[in-house]
Amino acid sequence: MSVQTVSEGTAEARRVRRYHLVLIGVALLIVALSLVRVLADATDLTSSGTFRAALGLAIPIGLAGLGGLWAERAGVVNIGLEGMMVLGTWFAGWAGYQWGPLAALVAGLLGGALGGLLHAVATVTFGVDHIISGVAINLLGPGITRFLSEVLYREGTAASEAGAGITTSPTLAEVPTVSVPLLSSGQDWLGDLESTHWFLLSDVAGMLRGLTRDVNVLAILAVALIPLTYYVLWHTAFGLRLRSCGENPWAAESLGVNVYRTKYIATVISGAFAGLGGVFLVFVTQKYVEGQTSGRGFIGLAAMIFGNWRPGGLAAGASLFGYADGLQLRSSQAVTGLFLFGALLLLGYAIMQARKAATAANRTAGTYTAVAFAALGAVALLWLWLTVDTLPNEFVFITPHVLTLLVLSVASQRLRMPKADGVRYRRGEQH
């Protein structure tokens, strides 16, 4: 047996083990959430309504993060996702009310791709700092869309349409929804099981019902893009070339890769995905509304970083932020149940770090510090859950943003961005 065969077998075994650990982790999270639902008497924690709202809120975040993933894997930092989403919402609203949902989808993709192309011209061709270019696009997006609204919705043919104005487009046709056969069609047996409030069984039923009943068709496409992105970037020659541009573009150049073209393609795709996130927002509200992105492009960027520049981690991050946002929309009282859930997670983390510190090789001051802070955080969250009945609306509103900061601060310990991410590339100039 050759060394290469042994190495491939070891890598495959490692991937299978990681896959099993992920499944076990998801199962434990569901059990913990069910336990918290029973102890806190907060049915909205696992209700179908919460998970339906979470899915709708996670999709635009995930699409924006997916756009950031494509650009940054090619070495282009893209903080202009918010501006590209804004362009996607406006073009989707403008085309959708005239020619229907399909035209809205195409126009939104093209609007976001236009923003990505502008970012590529600035950063790849002219070598502008990636952060400066991204900030400029975030400023240009709302400005351009307001100008176009002034021209078309105040003075143009759309001015006479019902509901049109400088901050909103006319209403679009309703986008069709689908339900998964057997799970959410015909007799609503999942709803009946959810209403029993049994431990774990009704919670799983609520989750499945919320994620499989009356789902927007664009949500299905967005979910499918996660494994598709993984396959393209990690299992095709094109994906290998693209990722090499983000790790070492000069090495890629020496192997015959057209780095400029690859970066352009990746950045335009990045903008198109961000625009697609904007299209989803328009489909949900059935119209373009100024400011409807509400910073989701930035949260998508945070979800991508949380996911360590990988599609699976990005999906987990978007789901987490979407769930927190959906919960605070459904019930302010249920948000206090997150204190108990957070306490359980921190307690589990403290136990894992303590076991790690039990071995001499891992017995460091940093490990003991992590155990102490995790245990202290668990106690603090448990105290809050025991003493606070209902959070003020102001605190409920900022829960998703606080959760974003906490998750990123914990996840930052294991992150590894592409080595040449944000590095100015010029052909022949070896760094």
Side-chain angles (χ1 to χ4, degrees):
M1 184 179 294
S2 66
V3 175
Q4 182 179 358
T5 304
V6 173
S7 177
E8 290 176 352
T10 304
E12 180 64 26
R14 195 181 300 118
R15 281 193 294 269
V16 171
R17 180 175 179 272
R18 190 183 300 119
Y19 175 72
H20 289 163
L21 288 175
V22 169
L23 290 180
I24 293 172
V26 170
L28 290 176
L29 283 176
I30 293 174
V31 172
L33 199 58
S34 179
L35 180 62
V36 170
R37 191 265 304 170
V38 173
L39 294 176
D41 192 24
T43 56
D44 274 325
L45 282 174
T46 58
S47 70
S48 57
T50 297
F51 276 84
R52 184 178 294 111
L55 178 64
L57 292 164
I59 291 299
I61 294 173
L63 287 171
L66 205 58
L69 174 69
W70 274 81
E72 300 209 9
R73 276 294 176 178
V76 179
V77 174
N78 189 1
I79 68 166
L81 295 167
E82 179 74 9
M84 297 171 194
M85 283 189 77
V86 171
L87 291 172
T89 57
W90 190 91
F91 281 100
W94 172 74
Y97 88 89
Q98 299 181 86
W99 302 298
L102 183 59
L105 177 64
V106 175
L109 282 169
L110 292 177
L114 183 63
L117 178 62
L118 181 61
H119 189 49
V121 170
T123 56
V124 179
T125 300
F126 293 103
V128 175
D129 183 271
H130 298 199
I131 304 299
I132 293 175
S133 175
V135 170
I137 291 174
N138 288 333
L139 296 174
L140 278 172
I144 291 173
T145 54
R146 169 53 77 96
F147 170 76
L148 292 173
S149 294
E150 289 274 359
V151 172
L152 295 175
Y153 295 148
R154 172 176 286 184
E155 304 170 1
T157 56
S160 59
E161 295 283 344
I166 60 173
T167 60
T168 181
S169 71
T171 303
L172 281 67
E174 187 175 355
V175 179
T177 59
V178 296
S179 297
V180 176
L182 300 180
L183 291 179
S184 296
S185 59
Q187 185 178 1
D188 189 14
W189 63 274
L190 283 177
D192 296 337
L193 185 57
E194 179 188 0
S195 63
T196 62
H197 301 301
W198 293 339
F199 174 74
L200 194 58
L201 286 178
S202 64
D203 300 295
V204 173
M207 295 175 190
L208 289 175
R209 186 169 184 264
L211 298 176
T212 60
R213 193 177 187 86
D214 298 328
V215 180
N216 190 301
V217 291
L218 187 54
I220 298 174
L221 172 63
V223 171
L225 286 174
I226 299 292
L228 180 62
T229 292
Y230 173 74
Y231 175 78
V232 171
L233 293 184
W234 272 269
H235 292 281
T236 66
F238 169 74
L240 179 61
R241 290 193 294 268
L242 187 147
R243 288 186 293 116
S244 68
C245 292
E247 295 293 338
N248 192 329
W250 295 277
E253 172 195 310
S254 69
L255 295 174
V257 176
N258 190 327
V259 177
Y260 287 122
R261 183 176 63 190
T262 304
K263 285 178 178 286
Y264 258 87
I265 292 173
T267 311
V268 170
I269 291 175
S270 172
F273 279 146
L276 189 61
V279 175
F280 182 83
L281 293 173
V282 171
F283 280 1
V284 170
T285 59
Q286 289 188 259
K287 61 171 62 179
Y288 158 76
V289 180
E290 187 175 79
Q292 69 190 132
T293 55
S294 300
R296 288 181 174 87
F298 299 112
I299 300 179
L301 190 65
M304 180 206 65
I305 296 172
F306 164 78
N308 205 12
W309 288 265
R310 286 181 171 272
L314 159 65
S319 301
L320 175 65
F321 302 142
Y323 175 75
D325 214 357
L327 187 62
Q328 62 99 359
L329 290 176
R330 293 282 300 178
S331 169
S332 60
Q333 184 178 3
V335 174
T336 58
L338 289 180
F339 292 145
L340 180 58
F341 186 61
L344 291 177
L345 293 182
L346 286 176
L347 181 61
Y349 178 75
I351 293 173
M352 290 174 57
Q353 292 298 316
R355 291 184 60 185
K356 182 179 178 181
T359 61
N362 296 316
R363 197 171 296 158
T364 62
T367 305
Y368 287 116
T369 302
V371 172
F373 273 104
L376 184 62
V379 172
L381 289 176
L382 183 61
W383 176 79
L384 284 172
W385 175 67
L386 291 172
T387 57
V388 176
D389 293 327
T390 304
L391 283 174
N393 289 334
E394 294 80 8
F395 288 97
V396 173
F397 180 74
I398 66 171
T399 298
H401 308 288
V402 174
L403 183 64
T404 300
L405 293 174
L406 292 176
V407 166
L408 287 179
S409 63
V410 173
S412 62
Q413 303 176 23
R414 60 172 182 82
L415 300 180
R416 194 198 76 81
M417 65 189 297
K419 292 182 180 179
D421 196 13
V423 175
R424 180 178 178 270
Y425 166 78
R426 282 295 175 267
R427 184 180 289 118
E429 295 182 3
Q430 180 69 46
H431 283 206

